Amino acid sequence: MGFIGVICGLKSEAEAVSASVDKNTAGAKIRIGVSGANAARAEEIATKFCNDGASAIISVGVSGGLDPALKPGDLIIGETVIADDGSVYSADKYLLSVIREQFPEDSMFAPLFGADEIIDSALKKSVLFSNHRAVAVDMESHGAARAAAHAGAPFIAIRAIADPA
């Protein structure tokens, strides 16, 4: 049986996932990689996980809000991830259905945007929200999604809003 490959941008995110895994996974095998908020590095790690037999790739961590209605702490499940180059990666339908059953009703299932550079202003966030209707932005999910798609592995992104639009 394979393992679940988890991609995080920050060590603190990986530590939070690791702490949760120890308490809640009932023996599931999980490997965690830290990409340093870099899509190319996230793709490398996810590719290695896929080559090593990962049964799924999950991108987990914080993100910036694009939707003005979101506030810090809101949980977003990415139905799709839109990359800077216009590529769109869909979340695995089975993983979406499992997560819909497990996460609180106030979790949002919506598109995410994967940026290759920091989105550092309200104006840039507003433009992304208007142009793509993505509700949040991060710098790893699109790299992990690209690797999973290339390998034919199930993928999903789970993000918490760190800073609002």
Side-chain angles (χ1 to χ4, degrees), residues 34 60 123 146:
V34 178
V60 176
L123 178 59
R146 187 170 27 248

Side-chain angles (χ1 to χ4, degrees), residues 8-20 32 34 60-62:
C8 299
L10 305 171
K11 287 182 183 179
S12 59
E13 294 166 343
E15 290 167 358
V17 170
S18 183
S20 176
I32 303 170
V34 178
V60 176
V62 296

